Amino acid sequence: QVQLVESGGGLVQAGGSLRLSCAASGRTFGTYAMSWFRQAPGKEREFVAVISWSGGRTDYTNSVKGRFTISRDNAKNTVYLQMNSLKPEDTAIYYCAAGRIYTNFVTRDKIDYWGQGTQVTVSS
């Protein structure tokens, strides 16, 4: 069992930055690929970024490439999402997720555990 708790969301102006954190419980954190998803009002939950269990591989959805960076610290059981050059269209609830299988574009069926989400609002 893995429990995930996100933090770091908030309100920021366009062009600004935020850093999301996801703290995981459980001694098996280091064996999971970790992802970030987001869900905007009235839209489906979508994949944002993924990092392999070792941190050696990362992949991003096209709309955030060059602006967002996913990282992890297995000693701290934590995964991060650094978000720079934020745009109003980045406004969403951001979810941390854990899955056993690494793919370069993660679908929801690959996820074993979800966090509760943290709100990110980007004003224009």
Side-chain angles (χ1 to χ4, degrees):
Q1 187 81 5
V2 176
Q3 292 184 325
L4 304 171
V5 179
E6 302 95 334
S7 61
L11 173 64
V12 63
Q13 288 188 332
S17 299
L18 281 174
R19 188 194 197 201
L20 305 183
S21 298
C22 173
S25 66
R27 292 179 291 177
T28 60
F29 173 77
T31 65
Y32 285 88
M34 297 299 298
S35 302
W36 288 95
F37 284 70
R38 65 185 181 187
Q39 188 167 15
K43 294 189 176 181
E44 295 288 319
R45 191 172 301 188
E46 65 173 358
F47 165 74
V48 175
V50 60
I51 188 167
S52 63
W53 67 269
S54 68
R57 289 187 63 185
T58 59
D59 281 286
Y60 302 88
T61 193
N62 286 339
S63 62
V64 307
K65 284 182 181 177
R67 300 189 298 124
F68 290 12
T69 302
I70 188 171
S71 61
R72 69 188 294 162
D73 185 339
N74 286 346
K76 295 182 178 180
N77 277 15
T78 303
V79 62
Y80 306 97
L81 186 68
Q82 178 66 44
M83 306 186 294
N84 298 329
S85 302
L86 283 161
K87 304 175 182 180
E89 51 264 44
D90 294 318
T91 295
I93 299 174
Y94 282 70
Y95 297 90
C96 177
R100 287 289 190 185
I101 298 172
Y102 181 94
T103 60
N104 60 0
F105 189 90
V106 183
T107 51
R108 294 180 65 174
D109 62 302
K110 297 297 190 293
I111 299 301
D112 297 312
Y113 301 102
W114 293 95
Q116 84 290 348
T118 185
Q119 177 71 47
V120 171
T121 303
V122 184
S123 63
S124 57

